Amino acid sequence: MNQRPARRPAPRPPEGTPAPAELARMARSGLAGAARVAHWADTALGPGSDGATADGKATLSEASAERASGDLGLTPAQIRADWDTARLAGLVEVHGDSARPGWRLRAWDRDDSAVLRGWVALFDAWSLAHPEPAEFEAAAVAEVVSAMPQVLSFLQLSAGPVPVEQLLDLLRQRVTELRTERCEVPYETETGIGGGSGSAVPVAAVPAARTDLADRAPADDPAPAEDAELAPLLDWSLHALASVGALTYGVGQATLTPLGSWAVWVKLEQICVAAQSPAGNIEVAAEEMLRGCAQLRPNAARAEYRAWLAARPVGSAVAELVAAARGEDALLRGLAFEALRVVGAPAEPDVRAVVDEPTLRPYALLWLAEHDGVDPEDAHEVLTREEATWLWVDTAAAVADHGEAPLLVRHLESALQPTVPALLDEVRAVGHPRTVQVLVALAAAHPDPALAKAVRRAAFQVHTGG
């Protein structure tokens, strides 16, 4: 009973993989132009500047591009290319109709892990970093993007140059499989919209941002992929991956760079994590997964969150977690935001979007404060007295529903108010929907008869509107 289960040993990168510090140096070198433009924008444009963006998509305005061109000694086209790279790498973050420096830019010179995560974000978006030629069919592009994880995995396992002909053969086989798998999914003939790419690889392993293009209705009988059709698409894909520094491509062969090999290994490890979900919650919805994590220790719960997230697109996973947080169970609300902490920066827009929802506001403000670098021990200082009291009641509701009486009594000690009468006055004022139930449970659990009587009286007053 007292023995802890053996932990899965931390996986080691393949032999010959450079140390993280060396990988970070390579990433900084490859993203030097993007970081320079992002730093320039931070300094020259400043927060809230009208010149930063013009179209609501965080593209530089003409005036800003010309200004950066003069300041940095680059052409406007180079400035725009570096700006786009900075966006994809998270050095610049888009918020509504404006852009601001990303947290990775703030940590760029001191945090190797932030640099590597930024480069992996660019690697994930390789098809956006080097858009396909206009003559390519969107559905064909989506098929190739969905098939490239297998190509990259083969390159990583080969650990050396691979002839393009061999990669083309592998791509043809995978695209044919995708077409066959898609035809097993029922489609709505009226709308002409399909059910996705049908890839068997978890989305976290797909280094691409174009899977939405795969939502097209296939032909009744899928035709096998032809080399003449796929060869130019493979050529584009390899050039695109080379443009972000993931591989070298030339003389009829392709080779992963050390950064590219490491990134593909990281993606394969994510698949392994997803396949070895510690508590077996990988296939269930967010709410059920969170319930399954309620009894786990914090580290075990975080491992479960990572496994669950690794098997889903980030966007839909975050949406599920936010929806679970909006439910009536206060425990799930807190756990949902713990899972969103594991998501990190990609969850920021969704978290920021719920700041004005009273039920989620305290949780969102704490999440954003920690995301911006505030020490978790000090993050509560961003809350007003009313917000902190509301959060205290919500947490007490979670304890009352799922914990034991001593936990609820100890929770009383965590209140900001110096006395119980002051706490009761402020609890009544915040109007939490669970106030009565929390006070009744606290009165039943507290060993001091006088205090329990005062709490019961407060519960009755709230119940009767007093």
Side-chain angles (χ1 to χ4, degrees), residues 46-336:
S49 171
D50 294 335
T53 62
D55 62 355
K57 300 178 181 177
T59 56
L60 283 179
S61 66
E62 291 291 340
S64 295
E66 291 292 341
R67 182 178 169 188
S69 175
D71 290 350
L72 299 179
L74 301 171
T75 67
Q78 289 173 313
I79 293 294
R80 292 188 183 282
D82 286 339
W83 176 262
D84 289 341
T85 300
R87 289 172 54 198
L88 295 174
L91 299 175
V92 172
E93 296 177 357
V94 181
H95 299 275
D97 60 354
S98 64
R100 75 176 192 187
W103 67 273
R104 287 175 186 146
L105 184 66
R106 302 298 189 208
W108 195 249
D109 295 325
R110 56 180 170 79
D111 190 340
D112 288 348
S113 65
V115 174
L116 290 174
R117 290 171 69 179
W119 187 86
V120 170
L122 177 65
F123 171 64
D124 286 344
W126 62 267
S127 62
L128 296 178
H130 187 81
E132 76 280 1
E135 64 267 19
F136 290 165
E137 291 288 338
V141 171
E143 287 178 336
V144 171
V145 168
S146 297
M148 283 306 291
Q150 278 70 22
V151 175
L152 291 167
S153 298
F154 182 75
L155 280 166
Q156 200 271 339
L157 293 172
S158 299
V162 177
V164 173
E165 291 81 3
Q166 197 170 358
L167 298 178
L168 182 60
D169 181 62
L170 178 62
L171 180 64
R172 183 184 66 251
Q173 294 178 39
R174 182 58 186 150
V175 168
T176 300
E177 290 173 359
L178 290 174
R179 292 177 180 177
T180 302
E181 291 169 5
R182 271 207 314 278
C183 286
E184 296 175 357
V185 180
Y187 288 85
E188 295 293 338
T189 56
E190 293 182 2
T191 61
I193 301 297
S197 65
S199 172
V201 178
V203 175
V206 180
R210 301 293 294 276
T211 53
D212 57 302
L213 294 177
D215 293 338
R216 300 289 187 271
D220 291 337
D221 297 314
E226 299 293 341
D227 288 356
E229 172 191 12
L230 296 179
L233 286 167
L234 176 61
D235 181 69
W236 160 70
S237 301
L238 295 176
H239 273 112
L241 287 159
S243 74
V244 300
L247 53 79
T248 58
Y249 175 40
V251 198
Q253 60 186 21
T255 310
L256 285 179
T257 63
L259 266 176
S261 179
W262 168 80
V264 175
W265 173 78
V266 168
K267 299 296 179 181
L268 293 173
E269 276 300 308
Q270 288 178 346
I271 298 174
C272 293
V273 169
Q276 298 179 23
S277 168
N281 293 305
I282 184 174
E283 299 294 340
V284 301
E287 184 172 335
E288 188 176 348
M289 180 273 293
L290 293 172
R291 291 190 189 282
C293 293
Q295 302 302 321
L296 298 179
R297 293 176 180 271
N299 286 340
R302 281 190 288 270
E304 193 71 7
Y305 301 150
R306 283 192 292 269
W308 186 85
L309 291 164
R312 286 162 178 77
V314 173
S316 63
V318 170
E320 274 196 63
L321 290 171
V322 171
R326 288 193 177 104
E328 296 182 358
D329 194 327
L331 177 64
L332 297 192
R333 192 155 28 252
L335 293 177

Side-chain angles (χ1 to χ4, degrees), residues 7-27:
R7 293 183 179 180
R8 178 176 180 248
R12 294 181 177 273
E15 185 176 354
T17 301
E22 177 63 16
L23 289 170
R25 186 195 64 77
M26 296 176 185

